[in-house]
Amino acid sequence: MNLLLQTSHSNLQAQIAVTGSKSETNRLLLLQALFPNITLANTSNSDDSEVMQKALKGNEEIVDIHHAGTAMRFLTAYFAVNEGREVVLTGSQRMTERPIKVLVEALQQLGAQISYENEVGYPPIRIKGQKITASKVNIPANVSSQYISALSLVAPKLENGIEITLVGEITSVPYIKMTLALLNDLDIKTSFEGNVITVYPKKEVESKVMTVESDWSSASYFFSLAALADNAAISLTSYKETSLQGDSALVEIYKQMGVDTHFEENKMTLTKQVDFIPQTVTFELNNTPDIAQTIVVTCLGLGIGCHLTGLHTLKIKETDRLEALRIEMTKLGANISVTNDSLTLVASNAINQNVPIATYNDHRMAMAFAPLALKVPIIIENAEVVSKSYPDFWNDLKTLGFEISEK
Ligand SMILES: O=C(O)C1=C[C@@H](OP(=O)(O)O)[C@@H](O)[C@H](O)C1
Ligand SMILES: C=C(OP(=O)(O)O)C(=O)O
């Protein structure tokens, strides 16, 4: 499904209930499988959370998690310590290109039995669940934080917990802290000092309702819309000023691009400010890789330049996001260059109209480019990809007055 997006509304007003964080949900689904007396509220309705839930509930030998990176990594650890069960864990074509070796080797250090069905280092993998008693493990920390979260999530159920020594620069740190904070909310003791994470064993937890905050990465598209509109007052629920999600850095980032955020109870309202906006912005995004695409497109829409660094993980996500951005932004007339870990956009004012944007099976390519419809009519190819994290995205955009038609 290709969608043509256009709008004559440049004053955006609406209240939108954004789905729960898929990162928090997928952690809590795993923790609920380990501790069934936890109840979850405001969970994500994303495809990635649905496949996670199905995989945890099912009993099949072949478990297919499609495009869901967190599900792939978290379930690798989950099945590795699930004594007596054997599964083949696989996913989409792209998932078979996303590396898993670092996590497999860490689990093998602990005594797990995991082998590769095809290419060494990549899914599909065969896992024979074992009782794990070893607790010390070293892991390179600069490829994906999801490996470290995966080990930490299963650790409370290991006889001796876990002590993880992180080697090298640590990437996507807020996601690791989110994992430990959720464990702490269940009264599971953890520590993260220097490059060592410790998670202590815990047999049972108290019954508790865990309420997921709405998804901040999904909120990023509304920050972009507010920045590109002439006027905006967009209210989003349910959000907290102090969040477990690192992407809440959006508040400070978009302040520099003319968006003010006001919190009241469980709602945040984004308003457009007409203050001075710099000609170029610079951000280090090692902590917040998922909002890189949103920010670049906002800058194009504002006619300003940007220099983004800390982007090395973008090459191994749903697609090579740096290359995808370079190609699609160039189609729109942008002057953009990328390296293995950075991106530079030169300020310019013209944007080509009616350009079909390819989305590369990447939900964030579709959603990041959509706000540009405030400036020029734009076509988003294979628009259904948004369901990976935000199935209601196109409907929510309609409530802001966008005309959306099949092309
Ligand atoms: O743990 C998580 O929930 C996530 C961690 C990040 O991945 P990396 O640690 O691989 O950068 C992020 O990009 C992904 O969308 C979700
Ligand atoms: C990178 C992402 O997801 P995952 O790694 O879980 O597939 C994302 O949602 O942007």
Side-chain angles (χ1 to χ4, degrees):
M1 172 182 69
N2 297 344
L3 294 180
L4 170 66
L5 315 182
Q6 47 198 339
T7 182
S8 50
H9 293 252
S10 52
N11 183 1
L12 304 182
Q13 313 264 343
Q15 176 155 328
I16 293 165
V18 179
T19 188
S21 155
K22 86 172 161 75
S23 289
E24 288 185 36
T25 301
N26 282 8
R27 284 162 172 74
L28 288 169
L29 286 171
L30 190 146
L31 288 169
Q32 191 181 40
L34 299 177
F35 301 107
N37 56 340
I38 309 172
T39 311
L40 309 186
N42 194 40
T43 49
S44 163
N45 66 355
S46 65
D47 290 354
D48 282 15
S49 295
E50 273 192 15
V51 293
M52 182 75 182
Q53 186 149 29
K54 197 165 155 246
L56 287 163
K57 288 227 159 98
N59 213 9
E60 289 87 25
E61 193 203 340
I62 298 180
V63 178
D64 184 341
I65 49 66
H66 305 276
H67 296 305
T70 49
M72 181 72 212
R73 281 71 183 258
F74 297 174
L75 290 169
T76 296
Y78 176 77
F79 288 124
V81 305
N82 200 328
E83 202 181 342
R85 175 127 185 238
E86 180 168 341
V87 300
V88 173
L89 192 54
T90 189
S92 61
Q93 169 60 35
R94 176 60 181 169
M95 193 54 66
T96 68
E97 299 164 359
R98 296 183 71 183
I100 191 84
K101 195 174 190 182
V102 165
L103 176 58
V104 167
E105 287 181 350
L107 287 162
Q108 286 168 338
Q109 283 177 50
L110 293 168
Q113 277 197 30
I114 307 176
S115 57
Y116 298 102
E117 293 284 278
N118 298 330
E119 197 180 338
V120 171
Y122 298 89
I125 51 177
R126 181 174 290 274
I127 307 171
K128 292 182 186 162
Q130 305 293 312
K131 181 179 170 67
I132 302 287
T133 51
S135 62
K136 292 202 173 177
V137 62
N138 290 335
I139 186 165
N142 64 346
V143 181
S144 169
S145 70
Q146 293 178 13
Y147 307 145
I148 297 150
S149 287
L151 295 171
S152 305
L153 284 167
V154 298
K157 282 286 183 172
L158 302 183
E159 206 160 276
N160 299 305
I162 207 164
E163 187 187 294
I164 312 170
T165 302
L166 307 180
V167 180
E169 205 196 328
I170 312 171
T171 198
S172 305
V173 172
Y175 290 97
I176 300 175
K177 292 191 173 161
M178 173 196 287
T179 304
L180 301 181
L182 290 172
L183 291 171
N184 295 158
D185 280 353
L186 293 170
D187 282 331
I188 296 163
K189 249 183 81 189
T190 69
S191 72
F192 186 0
E193 274 161 30
N195 64 337
V196 179
I197 292 174
T198 309
V199 180
Y200 294 87
K202 179 118 176 147
K203 285 205 165 65
E204 302 299 332
V205 300
E206 307 255 301
S207 301
K208 190 166 182 183
V209 180
M210 302 287 281
T211 303
V212 174
E213 188 185 6
S214 288
D215 197 287
W216 274 89
S217 321
S218 301
S220 73
Y221 312 110
F222 299 102
F223 278 86
S224 186
L225 286 159
L228 297 184
D230 291 341
N231 283 294
I234 306 173
S235 293
L236 305 174
T237 57
S238 304
Y239 288 94
K240 297 186 273 197
E241 198 161 359
T242 306
S243 175
L244 298 183
Q245 298 168 56
D247 285 356
S248 55
L250 284 162
V251 173
E252 290 307 316
I253 290 173
Y254 273 80
K255 197 178 270 176
Q256 291 189 46
M257 295 191 282
V259 179
D260 178 72
T261 311
H262 174 73
F263 289 86
E264 204 179 331
E265 295 178 358
N266 68 343
K267 182 172 84 179
M268 64 175 174
T269 302
L270 317 182
T271 51
K272 168 88 179 186
Q273 305 292 302
V274 276
D275 292 347
F276 165 79
I277 294 180
Q279 259 310 296
T280 296
V281 288
T282 302
F283 300 112
E284 214 299 320
L285 299 180
N286 189 28
N287 280 339
T288 55
D290 292 356
I291 56 175
Q293 291 146 296
T294 316
I295 294 170
V296 181
V297 176
T298 308
C299 290
L300 179 69
L302 288 173
I304 67 175
C306 67
H307 181 60
L308 306 181
T309 57
L311 304 182
H312 64 288
T313 62
L314 263 61
K315 297 188 84 62
I316 55 167
K317 299 206 184 281
E318 283 79 338
T319 184
D320 176 344
R321 287 180 171 166
L322 286 166
E323 194 52 17
L325 280 171
R326 191 188 62 72
I327 296 169
E328 301 311 312
M329 294 281 287
T330 303
K331 282 188 196 166
L332 288 160
N335 179 348
I336 181 174
S337 56
V338 300
T339 68
N340 276 339
D341 61 1
S342 72
L343 179 153
T344 306
L345 173 72
V346 178
S348 81
N349 273 317
I351 306 173
N352 297 333
Q353 302 201 10
N354 290 309
V355 171
I357 300 294
T359 49
Y360 306 79
N361 285 318
D362 184 359
H363 52 144
R364 302 207 188 284
M365 286 301 286
M367 295 187 283
F369 280 88
L372 273 190
L374 284 165
K375 301 291 171 191
V376 289
I378 188 166
I379 296 158
I380 305 292
E381 294 183 347
N382 302 315
E384 64 281 355
V385 288
V386 300
S387 65
K388 183 175 193 283
S389 64
Y390 191 175
D392 299 324
F393 180 71
W394 300 118
N395 279 337
D396 288 345
L397 207 55
K398 277 186 195 157
T399 67
L400 287 168
F402 282 68
E403 289 165 40
I404 303 183
S405 54
E406 283 210 33
K407 183 77 184 159

